[in-house]
Amino acid sequence: MPRTLLARNAHVLVTMDADRREIRDGGLMIEDNRIMAVGPSDTLPAWADEVIDLAGHVVIPGLINTHHHMFQCLTRAVPRAQDAELFDWLNALFPIWVGLTPEMIEVSTKTAMAELILSGCTTAMDHLYLYPNGVRLDDEIEAAAEIGMRFHAGRGSMSVGVGKGGLAPDSIVEDEGAVLRDTRRLIEAYHDKSRFSMLRIVVAPCAPFTVSPDLMCEAAALARSYGVSLHTHLAENDKDVAYSREKFGLTPAQYAEKLDWVGHDVWHAHCVKLDDHGIELFGRTGTGVAHCPCSNMRLASGIAPVGRMRAAGVPVGSTVRRRTIPAACSLRRARRCCSPASASAPMPWARARCSKSRRWAAPRCSAATT
């Protein structure tokens, strides 16, 4: 039998619907992981299995994190990686990441998701692109199910190591055939395409400087044969652009277009150095961008042309990608915004999604997050 939750008496409930309604003394009715009704509290049912009084709180829709590397929360404070741009930062940390284990993936996933939920985020995508020592994407998926967060799990990969002109150590690159077989296994085992899905798989080769054009093409074909989304890094900084020009004779956007990595089923992370052609291409094809401002500042990558992207019709989403901000900062900020009652509410209620709208919603977090 469905379990119900009634949250009522909010100071204001922000709907973010087409009419941008802000409902005074608002509330919402939830059944399992679906928001069934939103409106003034006196228009909602009077009872539920659980009732939460949100007097004095502001309720906002759940935030959506469009790009993350959750395992990296374990290495935020490594001294030699504190003053480096992207490629030097990666080279400082790859030797540590070679030692990752399944337990570390589980712990880092739970840590990152706890931070996200306490900060008002109810849906997250993670891009796991290295698999040493028996690590599998399943480790993240199982941790996400335990936490109770809606999750888009990215099966990342690296197949071009230092020996072939790439950036990653040869010891952690994978055979491309094995990557594709495992990606197929994950889609068939876990991907749920239904509207209220709690779990979807994303096909996500790491970046042009760590995978081959062949793998990019094969990955795109595999994803589209199953109707799943595609994700990678693109045009993150000047060195990224220089690598693309040197190795492929193309700008990052031209490279993405050549490999058919554009369209409504694709979104790229960072795009700090996306040029005018790239912006026009992404706008015309509906190709998305995950904007990562904290990471871009941390690595001095530059400022992404978000204004021009949006003006051109590029779908732009936001991400946490806080490569070095300690977990305590996120927790302190969340606790300042949430009351003890809301901060200690059961995490599974963070799953609810509105059944009358395609927008995500956070039924129990009252955090006034940015």
Side-chain angles (χ1 to χ4, degrees):
M1 188 163 180
R3 179 170 173 79
T4 56
L5 170 70
L6 174 63
R8 62 190 181 190
N9 304 326
H11 175 68
V12 63
L13 185 148
V14 181
T15 65
M16 298 296 290
D17 62 9
D19 296 325
R20 313 298 273 188
R21 291 179 301 151
E22 296 185 1
I23 303 171
R24 299 287 173 177
D25 190 31
L28 61 164
M29 185 71 179
I30 300 164
E31 184 177 288
D32 289 338
N33 67 333
R34 305 182 184 191
I35 297 177
M36 304 305 295
V38 174
S41 294
D42 60 8
T43 67
L44 300 173
W47 61 270
D49 295 319
E50 183 178 357
V51 178
I52 298 177
D53 184 358
L54 293 178
H57 291 71
V58 172
V59 178
I60 64 171
L63 303 178
I64 301 172
N65 176 27
T66 60
H67 180 72
H68 207 143
H69 302 299
M70 294 181 181
F71 73 90
Q72 292 178 5
C73 74
L74 301 177
T75 54
R76 284 171 169 155
V78 176
R80 64 178 177 273
Q82 296 310 301
D83 187 17
E85 57 76 48
L86 174 63
F87 282 22
D88 293 338
W89 181 85
L90 287 169
N91 284 326
L93 293 174
F94 273 138
I96 299 174
W97 295 340
V98 168
L100 286 171
T101 65
E103 182 184 16
M104 292 176 184
I105 296 300
E106 176 192 1
V107 169
S108 60
T109 301
K110 291 179 178 178
T111 300
M113 287 187 170
E115 292 174 4
L116 289 167
I117 290 174
L118 286 169
S119 299
C121 181
T122 58
T123 301
M125 181 272 175
D126 192 60
H127 191 185
L128 180 62
Y129 55 77
L130 70 173
Y131 298 86
N133 309 310
V135 166
R136 303 189 304 163
L137 190 62
D138 308 62
D139 303 320
E140 279 200 326
I141 291 170
E142 291 164 7
E146 186 174 341
I147 286 284
M149 192 172 202
R150 180 168 274 110
F151 189 38
H152 287 230
R155 205 309 180 176
S157 54
M158 297 190 296
S159 66
V160 178
V162 173
K164 294 182 179 179
L167 200 66
D170 291 329
S171 62
I172 55 173
V173 299
E174 297 181 88
D175 173 77
E176 295 187 352
V179 168
L180 294 169
R181 288 191 296 273
D182 190 53
T183 304
R184 184 184 300 273
R185 174 189 70 83
L186 290 160
I187 295 171
E188 293 180 351
Y190 295 111
H191 185 72
D192 178 1
K193 65 180 181 180
S194 66
R195 179 179 177 187
F196 296 101
S197 168
M198 292 297 296
L199 175 63
R200 291 181 180 172
I201 301 298
V202 179
V203 179
C206 180
F209 51 82
T210 56
V211 298
S212 72
D214 285 345
L215 181 56
M216 294 287 285
C217 290
E218 291 294 330
L222 175 64
R224 287 176 174 134
S225 72
Y226 281 95
V228 305
S229 297
L230 289 157
H231 182 65
T232 191
H233 299 86
L234 195 77
E236 184 168 349
N237 72 356
D238 289 329
K239 285 188 178 180
D240 192 354
V241 175
Y243 183 95
S244 182
R245 288 185 177 279
E246 178 184 346
K247 295 293 183 180
F248 313 122
L250 301 167
T251 67
Q254 290 169 336
Y255 183 65
E257 184 176 26
K258 179 180 178 180
L259 300 182
D260 202 19
W261 269 74
V262 293
H264 292 280
D265 57 349
V266 182
W267 84 103
H268 296 275
H270 297 283
C271 294
V272 176
K273 300 297 179 178
L274 196 64
D275 59 13
D276 290 342
H277 163 260
I279 293 173
E280 186 278 329
L281 171 68
F282 282 21
R284 172 165 44 86
T285 59
T287 306
V289 169
H291 177 43
C292 313
C294 292
S295 172
N296 299 340
M297 288 189 290
R298 164 63 181 79
L299 297 174
S301 298
I303 300 173
V306 173
R308 289 193 289 127
M309 290 182 194
R310 287 173 56 82
V314 178
V316 179
S318 187
T319 79
V320 293
R321 286 307 287 117
R322 297 183 292 247
R323 282 190 168 109
T324 59
I325 297 176
C329 292
S330 299
L331 299 181
R332 282 198 299 270
R333 182 162 57 248
R335 285 167 181 157
R336 282 198 301 268
C337 295
C338 293
S339 71
S342 63
S344 61
M347 283 185 179
W349 293 117
R351 301 176 176 187
R353 187 181 177 189
C354 185
S355 63
K356 297 182 179 180
S357 166
R358 295 196 64 83
R359 293 188 178 273
W360 303 102
R364 52 156 287 275
C365 184
S366 57
T369 52
T370 57

